[in-house]
Amino acid sequence: MKNRIAFLFIFFQMFTYHAFCQTDAVENKINALIEKMTLEEKIGQACLKGTSSRSKGLSDELKEQVRKGLVGAILNLTDTALVLQIQKIAVEESPNHIPLLFGRDVIHGYKTIFPIPLGLSATWNAAIAEQTSAVAAHESYARCINWTFAPMVDVCRDARWGRIAESPGEDPYLASVLTKAYIKGYQGEDLSAPGNILACTKHFAAYGAVEGGRDYNTVNISESLLRNVYLPPFKAAVEAGSATFMTSFNDVNGVPASGNSFLLKDVLREEWKYDGFVVSDWNSVTEMITHGYCADEKEVALKAATAGMDMEMTSQSYAHQLKVLIQEKKITEEQLNEIVRHILRIKFRAGVFENPYFKEKDSFKILDPASLELAKTSAVKSFVLLKNEKQILPLSTNKTVAVIGPLAHAHKEQLGTWIFDGDKTNSITPLTALLQTYATANVKYAAGLKYSRDESEEGFKEALAAAKKSEVILFFAGEEAILSGEAHSRADISLPGVQEKLIQALAKAGKPIILVIMAGRPITIDRILPNVAAVVMAWHPGTMAGPALADVLTGKENFSGRLTVTWPKTVGQIPIYYNHTNTGRPADSTSFVGIKDIPVEAWQSSLGNNSHYLDAGFTPRYTFGYGMSYTSFSYGDILLKKNTLDQSDSLKVTVTITNTGARTGTETVQLYIQDVSASIVRPVRELKAFTQVELKAGESREIQLSVPVAELGFYTNEGKYVVEPGTFNLWVAPDAASGAKQVFTVK
Ligand code: NOJ
């Protein structure tokens, strides 16, 4: 035994020594290169040049800049021949033969388009996140892209913000789990292996907190909120080895992120020990002038470089100003060397020196059948069943169905936002899939509206006729892809155009309506909720939307998706999120007085009311974590291994879940805690663990969940992480609003 321990110890030492020597060897190579580089070449490494995705050739100017070593990376060059051509210039003709990186926004798939990230988050499934990003990486690599600007990990509590579609939802813990999985998918175990590409975790930081959900807006935030809610996924990204980070467009407490040394230096480098490189967002560096944070390009370069921003995307303040700033001794050459070190380290780690020309790229297939199958599975798992009156779903395939709505056969729209390379000709729509599932004569199609914003009622008559001839109406509603994503915030998040009007008209036909929503955000549906028998949130599901939807609607597959954002009744409730603090006057149903209950000429008083809206109450339409299934589950007693825990313990919980319904289904078991009394107020609930369990009808399984006590803490307003002793509440539940409360104590 002793020998075995000694052997293991020696092995471990050899292993760490080997890793240390390897790191050391890379650092030596980097330093040797830096020694040989001129100032211009060093600055060149910090320049990310944009090209138009539609460019047919390479400009002579770009070729010349690459030849002189004045470019570190290029974005949006998607013609593989052009990539290889310009790479050859970099490798063979530039002074130090440093290869370029080729970046692209591959956000939820390259050609095989998976559900939008908000949809993927609704799977609550890290394996799906990893597998889909691995496919995206392989397809990108096959097209000579070795750097994706993903994952986007901005926690978001505001459905008006268009970019919520790209986000992992409102919860920092779930977002962190998914972030790690995405990075593993893109980068693999070995970043330098063919097929793996660099991840870029974005947007650092707090972009999801833009005021009013208006894109690019200001962010005013306490340090505790920043650290407890918005930073955790970024910290997780560092832990997962994210090769690069991207700054955000917004300012944080008055300092734009691209010039924010608190974020880039104090937090990212000092605290988290991040050693990759940071790229700015598109022109976000020079936009610091428009923000009113810098007077001119020179000040921009000074502030960005001093703050720790390494590579500038598209704007050229570094190219134009860094040399002068060094000559004027405002920036030292060692500061620039450090920037270059970050960039070269990642180039070495990614293996681009050994593999500049994408070897074996042709072995990675585009739109491979297995990838399309994954697109379908991930879509199925992302769908959330929100309402199912009288179990109208699943539908028998013997029924006659009217297929109506602007999203029923919209090849482009079902792909969602940020699909530069996705091709609508590969999309299979719900109509196409339903025509393959049902006898042709049993499907009556009439879109009713040409597109989601359509205001013309011309098609209503035909839609009504189709409805009358059918037993059930399948209404595919939602938003076109362009209505969410960057710069596409909305002040009213109900169905655009006259979709509601059409649904209300169809309701008069007396046939049950199944509402399937394809959108980049939760959509307020309270006005039409009484008119529909079932509601399915399908997000923008991607290439395989149709087959995936046909399978769940007809019951071939079950629903398992859960909301990762709180779904409001009305836009005025926003921001609305499950992990809010309590207030001194929390709302509850016993004391709540609604607008209609107030007597005329009521005496001035608070009417027993607490923190709520008179006209919208205090509960959302659907809570975080919610989602129905074709089966049902029951939770047994929640057993805590220990009720009093030391700081070094783990909270260990056991619960038996039973499938009480008639078919196989997957339950997402969620563990929430509340720190009851602390030095700053804490949320009413916080997700700390979850697991998924698939159970056959009647089957029971004991589930164990464990959370280290060290993870029950929070950051104070001084930026200190603490786990304060005291009482905690605990729930193990199917969503953020249910479950029986337990109590435990931390010593
Ligand atoms: C701006 C967006 O904010 C960012 O997410 C994207 O990666 C860059 N443009 C590059 O296209």
Side-chain angles (χ1 to χ4, degrees):
M1 182 66 182
K2 248 189 187 160
N3 280 349
R4 218 149 111 211
I5 293 173
F7 173 76
L8 280 173
F9 182 71
I10 293 169
F11 179 77
F12 177 73
Q13 289 227 318
M14 278 166 55
F15 181 78
T16 13
Y17 181 70
H18 177 71
F20 175 76
C21 289
Q22 267 191 335
T23 323
D24 229 30
V26 170
E27 295 305 311
N28 288 342
K29 280 190 202 169
I30 295 170
N31 287 331
L33 252 182
I34 290 177
E35 284 276 296
K36 291 195 282 170
M37 291 165 82
T38 62
L39 257 189
E40 285 81 357
E41 288 154 24
K42 289 180 190 173
I43 296 167
Q45 283 306 304
C47 292
L48 168 58
K49 290 269 172 197
T51 62
S52 156
S53 328
R54 294 175 193 167
S55 60
K56 294 269 174 283
L58 296 166
S59 70
D60 288 341
E61 191 197 347
L62 183 63
K63 283 195 239 172
E64 200 43 32
Q65 285 175 332
V66 170
R67 193 167 284 121
K68 287 186 178 152
L70 305 182
V71 181
I74 294 182
L75 86 151
N76 290 343
L77 196 61
T78 51
D79 180 324
T80 53
L82 297 183
V83 170
L84 298 175
Q85 190 190 339
I86 195 103
Q87 186 73 304
K88 196 159 187 286
I89 297 177
V91 171
E92 294 183 5
E93 299 178 43
S94 76
N96 286 296
H97 316 288
I98 303 174
L100 299 160
L101 294 175
F102 296 93
R104 183 76 164 159
D105 288 286
V106 181
I107 308 299
H108 51 113
Y110 179 76
K111 280 277 179 236
T112 304
I113 301 298
F114 299 104
I116 52 168
L118 188 59
L120 284 176
S121 73
T123 67
W124 290 60
N125 190 321
I128 288 285
E130 185 182 330
Q131 288 159 12
T132 54
S133 54
V135 169
H138 298 164
E139 290 192 352
S140 305
Y141 183 88
R143 289 289 183 269
C144 297
I145 292 160
N146 53 16
W147 182 21
T148 177
F149 300 127
M152 189 276 215
V153 305
D154 296 310
V155 167
C156 177
R157 296 169 156 185
D158 194 327
R160 291 170 297 182
W161 192 46
R163 303 200 83 166
I164 195 171
E166 297 169 59
S167 91
E170 75 188 29
D171 182 71
Y173 173 74
L174 177 60
S176 303
V177 171
L178 295 173
T179 299
K180 287 188 175 176
Y182 282 127
I183 291 169
K184 193 155 172 233
Y186 289 125
Q187 300 192 163
E189 296 293 347
D190 171 8
L191 185 50
S192 65
N196 295 337
I197 66 174
L198 306 176
C200 181
T201 303
K202 68 187 189 185
H203 306 82
F204 196 55
Y207 191 25
V210 286
E211 198 175 275
R214 208 166 71 237
D215 210 359
Y216 315 121
N217 211 355
T218 189
V219 173
N220 236 294
I221 196 165
S222 68
E223 186 162 345
S224 61
L225 185 61
L226 177 70
R227 286 182 180 270
N228 290 320
V229 175
Y230 295 93
L231 293 190
F234 291 98
K235 187 161 186 277
V238 174
E239 285 159 15
S242 179
T244 72
F245 263 60
M246 186 189 292
T247 60
S248 54
F249 283 121
N250 54 286
D251 74 84
V252 179
N253 298 331
V255 182
S258 298
N260 197 312
S261 64
F262 167 71
L263 289 172
L264 300 177
K265 281 210 161 138
D266 302 355
V267 176
L268 189 59
R269 299 281 176 200
E270 301 291 324
E271 277 180 41
W272 298 350
K273 310 284 173 231
Y274 178 63
D275 72 351
F277 76 82
V278 175
V279 65
S280 76
D281 204 339
W282 187 284
N283 287 352
S284 68
V285 176
T286 47
E287 282 174 14
M288 293 201 289
I289 301 172
T290 328
H291 269 285
Y293 185 63
C294 301
D296 52 27
E297 205 190 41
K298 194 166 170 190
E299 194 182 352
V300 158
L302 175 65
K303 283 192 167 161
T306 312
M309 206 294 298
D310 299 316
M311 187 186 274
E312 185 175 3
M313 188 192 290
T314 59
S315 59
Q316 301 205 48
S317 74
Y318 279 11
H320 298 159
Q321 307 291 346
L322 277 188
K323 192 173 171 187
V324 190
L325 286 165
I326 289 170
Q327 282 161 352
E328 289 176 1
K329 302 206 181 329
K330 296 206 169 113
I331 287 181
T332 65
E333 188 158 354
E334 184 42 31
Q335 275 178 283
L336 176 60
N337 289 347
E338 195 52 22
I339 288 176
V340 178
R341 224 169 259 135
H342 296 153
I343 297 165
L344 292 181
R345 186 175 296 138
I346 292 306
K347 289 193 174 180
F348 276 109
R349 209 170 275 169
V352 286
F353 284 91
E354 294 80 38
N355 175 23
Y357 301 119
F358 297 84
K359 68 179 177 201
E360 297 168 29
K361 70 177 169 49
D362 296 334
S363 64
F364 297 99
K365 300 283 170 254
I366 305 271
L367 293 163
D368 191 66
S371 307
L372 291 170
E373 193 51 38
L374 179 63
K376 183 176 161 190
T377 317
S378 54
V380 165
K381 290 184 190 297
S382 75
F383 299 147
V384 187
L385 180 61
L386 296 171
K387 175 177 177 178
N388 193 17
E389 220 170 61
K390 296 192 200 138
Q391 301 192 326
I392 178 85
L393 289 175
L395 288 179
S396 150
T397 47
N398 295 322
K399 284 223 160 32
T400 48
V401 293
V403 176
I404 301 176
L407 273 295
H409 197 48
H411 295 76
K412 171 147 186 354
E413 311 314 338
Q414 70 181 39
L415 298 179
T417 183
W418 279 118
I419 45 103
F420 276 155
D421 303 289
D423 188 340
K424 69 174 185 178
T425 60
N426 301 128
S427 293
I428 306 179
T429 67
L431 175 66
T432 307
L434 288 165
L435 281 168
Q436 282 161 8
T437 312
Y438 286 81
T440 316
N442 286 354
V443 179
K444 308 272 177 259
Y445 171 59
L449 293 163
K450 291 201 181 83
Y451 56 102
S452 74
R453 288 162 295 155
D454 194 355
E455 305 226 321
S456 159
E457 295 176 26
E458 253 172 47
F460 278 29
K461 214 168 133 201
E462 203 194 339
L464 217 64
K468 281 184 184 148
K469 280 188 233 143
S470 313
E471 290 165 273
V472 171
I473 301 166
L474 280 169
F475 194 98
F476 293 89
E479 290 176 321
E480 295 147 76
I482 197 67
L483 298 186
S484 58
E486 186 181 348
H488 294 99
S489 297
R490 295 182 63 204
D492 171 0
I493 57 165
S494 61
L495 292 172
V498 288
Q499 295 183 72
E500 288 191 355
K501 211 166 171 192
L502 177 54
I503 291 168
Q504 280 155 352
L506 290 169
K508 294 195 183 116
K511 310 288 171 69
I513 302 177
I514 317 289
L515 177 66
V516 179
I517 304 170
M518 289 195 207
R521 52 164 68 80
I523 297 289
T524 50
I525 49 174
D526 270 36
R527 279 190 297 262
I528 45 162
L529 207 47
N531 304 123
V532 301
V535 180
V536 173
M537 183 53 179
W539 318 103
H540 285 128
T543 309
M544 296 296 278
L549 275 167
D551 280 3
V552 286
L553 293 171
T554 57
K556 195 169 165 202
E557 295 281 355
N558 202 344
F559 283 94
S560 62
R562 301 298 180 86
L563 292 180
T564 56
V565 275
T566 302
W567 191 294
K569 290 175 185 153
T570 172
V571 75
Q573 286 182 302
I574 293 174
I576 184 165
Y577 47 92
Y578 87 93
N579 48 356
H580 61 88
T581 53
N582 220 3
T583 83
R585 296 182 172 197
D588 72 70
S589 46
T590 50
S591 60
F592 173 67
V593 178
I595 197 161
K596 292 189 187 132
D597 307 322
I598 303 173
V600 175
E601 294 206 353
W603 181 250
Q604 173 62 44
S605 81
S606 59
L607 295 163
N609 288 337
N610 292 305
S611 185
H612 69 265
Y613 293 106
L614 287 175
D615 47 0
F618 54 92
T619 52
R621 174 50 54 215
Y622 303 111
T623 191
F624 176 87
Y626 177 73
M628 299 164 82
S629 159
Y630 288 148
T631 188
S632 49
F633 300 94
S634 73
Y635 284 57
D637 290 340
I638 290 142
L639 304 171
L640 271 71
K641 196 161 175 219
K642 269 168 94 176
N643 286 74
T644 303
L645 302 165
D646 288 324
Q647 295 271 337
S648 57
D649 278 338
S650 279
L651 168 69
K652 291 204 163 96
V653 182
T654 309
V655 60
T656 299
I657 312 290
T658 304
N659 181 340
T660 50
R663 60 171 292 171
T664 300
T666 298
E667 173 69 345
T668 302
V669 184
Q670 303 159 38
L671 184 154
Y672 295 92
I673 60 115
Q674 178 190 22
D675 185 345
V676 178
S677 158
S679 55
I680 53 172
V681 294
R682 303 299 305 135
V684 294
R685 280 199 190 200
E686 288 176 86
L687 182 73
K688 287 290 169 188
F690 66 88
T691 189
Q692 286 187 324
V693 52
E694 188 185 88
L695 297 171
K696 296 198 180 74
E699 191 185 349
S700 293
R701 195 165 316 149
E702 192 183 86
I703 299 299
Q704 281 164 3
L705 290 161
S706 167
V707 186
V709 169
E711 290 175 18
L712 299 178
F714 59 90
Y715 286 92
T716 65
N717 270 323
E718 291 70 46
K720 200 170 155 241
Y721 185 78
V722 288
V723 181
E724 293 181 349
T727 306
F728 285 74
N729 290 331
L730 164 81
W731 298 263
V732 179
D735 59 59
S738 49
K741 190 168 83 183
Q742 306 275 318
V743 177
F744 67 94
T745 307
V746 169
K747 281 201 286 189

